Amino acid sequence: MSQTVAVFDIGKTNVKLALFDHGRLLWEKTAPNRVLLGPPYPHEDVETAWNFFLDALREAARTHRIDAIVPTAHGAAGALIGESNLAAPVLDYEFAGVEVIEPEYAKLRPPFAESLSPNLPAGLNLGRQLAYQKWRCPDLFAKARHFVGYPQYWAWRLSGVAVSEVTTLGAHADLWAPRQGQPSSLVKSLSVEHLLPPLRRAFDPLGPIKPEIAATCRLAPETPVFCGIHDSNASLLPYLVSRQAPFTVLSTGTWVILMCVGLSLEKLDPRDDTLANVDALGRPIACGRFMGGREYAVIARGGGNPEPGALERVIASGAMALPCFTGHGGPYATSKGKIRGDVATRDRTALATLYCALVSDLMLTRMGVTGGDLIVEGTFAGNLPFCQALGALRPAQRVFRAEDAAGTARGAAMLAHWPPSYHIAEPGPVAPMSMTGLDAYRKAWTAAVDKIAR
């Protein structure tokens, strides 16, 4: 039976409404996501995003019956909610001003062995955002009844039901103890236990959509709203139900998230920005991350993919990109990126491609990944030379690419009928390809990187 699922997909760069029926994309609409400068601090432009979603729902409902709604959002955001509205704006995770509380916050942060969450800059640790709001915005904080992850904010706004969910609490937030499957000691240290609503699973229906939203958007009043999920974990869902461990998914966009299913957690090192995320079933997953999409854009001076043969030209030239170009993510976030050697303007995308493949390979090696399939999904799946370079760097693993720009939203849509009974589309294999001089280039790049302090 047909079931059309509407997904609210809130990324750092864009917001999207996408409709799916048994995994098939039916309709989508996208708009830029904005950050407002303040006051009281830089924050997500929630109201513009909300109005976009209402307008998009109305438009979609003219031609489709919407049977369920599922939200997914990036992990480094949470919402303090009051009786009926936000108690405080949703803080932008790139706001470095939160670091002013660091001496006090450092005393409360759980050790890495407990949270498996590295100490990240700005607001990338959600617990630091919460502490900042409590200590520096006490009047706003006092109005809060709940603190929820960003996907669950949208679920609450649609349904009126406030819940907690592990994929967001467990996404480098300092707020979750993955091995114990419970909130970390930080929750008690901050005295915010009362703000965390009951825990629900990502695939739990929370209730029907609010009547006024149903009427405004011309939806059936019984349309269910589901709990929702952290976006990288949404990308992982199709593979959790269609593949046997071990395997690794590279979820790519603004960030590259390396999710290594079946890998031991023992080699995780906070200095490398390797950590444990928590999947939709509550299981810790070894992960690494770097801001690959944004670094690519800086190195390439824009977007686009390299032309055939461009990677070999860069390798032959010896030109290299050395980390880090964004100040966020990966083993060398505190180092200032630089280009060594000369590279033609037309080959900047090839240099960026090599850089992102080398950083991915480096992080996988440090995490202890030696086998299992590698699946590239998201933006970099459309960059065949990236997938080929990754395959050449890691010949013991088969590389696949999911040429699906809607991968995150498609995964989230699965939550409305979990576990899915329909066929999951397989990613396409990437043919192995040797690149002349790549081994020597990697050795030289690794030697240069080894001189950079972590």
Side-chain angles (χ1 to χ4, degrees):
M1 184 176 72
S2 174
Q3 185 185 46
T4 300
V5 181
V7 175
F8 280 33
D9 185 356
I10 302 97
K12 176 63 175 172
T13 306
N14 296 296
V15 292
K16 177 195 299 182
L17 182 76
L19 269 54
F20 295 88
D21 177 14
H22 290 77
R24 182 170 61 95
L25 179 64
L26 302 176
W27 186 94
E28 66 178 344
K29 188 171 185 177
T30 303
N33 197 9
R34 300 192 308 164
V35 169
L36 302 178
L37 295 181
Y41 42 69
H43 56 271
E44 298 274 350
D45 187 0
V46 168
E47 292 309 311
T48 295
W50 176 247
N51 289 327
F52 161 78
F53 282 124
L54 292 182
D55 290 342
L57 277 173
R58 277 192 293 267
E59 183 179 343
R62 294 190 194 114
T63 52
H64 298 85
R65 174 184 167 86
I66 295 173
D67 299 294
I69 303 177
V70 180
T72 182
H74 63 84
L80 287 164
I81 54 179
E83 290 292 337
S84 59
N85 296 296
L86 281 170
V90 176
L91 194 147
D92 172 34
Y93 70 69
E94 293 188 87
F95 173 49
V98 298
E99 294 178 356
V100 70
I101 67 166
E102 191 54 28
E104 294 83 5
Y105 184 69
K107 298 173 185 176
L108 303 184
R109 279 195 81 240
F112 182 76
E114 178 191 347
S115 68
L116 298 179
S117 173
N119 186 14
L120 301 176
L124 283 166
N125 296 122
L126 193 51
R128 184 182 287 107
Q129 293 187 32
L130 186 58
Y132 178 88
Q133 290 171 309
K134 179 178 181 178
W135 296 338
R136 297 303 170 106
C137 308
D139 292 344
L140 296 176
F141 190 87
K143 300 175 184 178
R145 287 189 60 198
H146 299 293
F147 179 75
V148 298
Y150 208 27
Q152 287 68 55
Y153 164 73
W154 296 97
W156 168 79
R157 189 144 184 186
L158 288 163
S159 70
V161 180
V163 298
S164 299
E165 191 276 326
V166 294
T167 64
T168 298
L169 288 178
H172 51 83
D174 293 347
L175 295 168
W176 193 252
R179 290 190 175 103
Q180 289 74 39
Q182 63 186 29
S184 74
S185 56
L186 177 64
V187 173
K188 185 175 181 179
S189 298
L190 275 178
S191 300
V192 294
E193 303 101 314
H194 65 289
L195 291 180
L196 294 187
L199 195 67
R200 298 290 292 273
R201 297 172 298 183
F203 44 82
D204 283 348
L206 302 185
I209 194 170
K210 291 179 179 178
E212 62 272 23
I213 300 173
T216 297
C217 298
R218 298 181 181 177
L219 304 180
E222 67 274 14
T223 304
V225 177
F226 284 76
C227 178
I229 191 168
H230 169 226
D231 56 5
S232 296
N233 274 286
S235 300
L236 183 61
L237 286 176
Y239 308 105
L240 290 179
V241 297
S242 63
R243 263 183 158 69
Q244 293 293 320
F247 63 87
T248 296
V249 175
L250 272 68
S251 176
T252 66
T254 302
W255 290 87
V256 173
I257 311 294
L258 308 101
M259 297 177 283
C260 308
V261 177
L263 184 68
S264 167
L265 306 177
E266 298 311 310
K267 288 194 174 183
L268 298 179
D269 187 336
R271 296 173 301 169
D272 287 336
D273 204 352
T274 56
L275 62 149
N277 278 348
V278 180
D279 74 11
L281 301 176
R283 303 171 299 191
I285 303 292
C287 293
R289 17 163 282 139
F290 69 104
M291 216 170 193
R294 191 171 290 178
E295 294 210 87
Y296 186 100
V298 173
I299 298 166
R301 296 177 179 164
N305 297 328
E307 62 186 46
L311 267 67
E312 286 84 349
R313 287 200 298 270
V314 172
I315 291 169
S317 75
M320 294 178 182
L322 301 174
C324 166
F325 295 86
T326 63
H328 291 298
Y332 303 102
T334 59
S335 300
K336 185 173 178 58
K338 60 182 178 181
I339 308 297
R340 177 182 294 179
D342 297 322
V343 61
T345 300
R346 66 171 181 158
D347 288 340
R348 299 281 302 199
T349 54
L351 181 67
T353 295
L354 276 170
Y355 171 83
C356 290
L358 286 162
V359 175
S360 299
D361 171 59
L362 175 75
M363 295 190 73
L364 290 170
T365 298
R366 287 185 176 175
M367 292 170 69
V369 176
T370 57
D373 293 342
L374 277 172
I375 304 109
V376 181
E377 72 87 37
T379 307
F380 284 6
N383 184 337
L384 179 58
F386 170 83
C387 300
Q388 291 171 327
L390 195 59
L393 290 166
R394 306 191 66 80
Q397 296 181 267
R398 296 186 302 169
V399 176
F400 296 79
R401 61 176 182 150
E403 297 183 75
D404 180 5
T408 295
R410 192 186 308 277
M414 295 170 63
L415 296 172
H417 34 75
W418 184 265
S421 57
Y422 54 83
H423 173 71
I424 306 297
E426 285 289 319
V430 175
M433 177 181 176
S434 63
M435 296 185 182
T436 303
L438 180 61
D439 285 343
Y441 184 91
R442 172 168 56 180
K443 289 177 182 176
W445 183 88
T446 302
V449 165
D450 283 344
K451 296 177 182 178
I452 300 173
R454 287 190 290 175

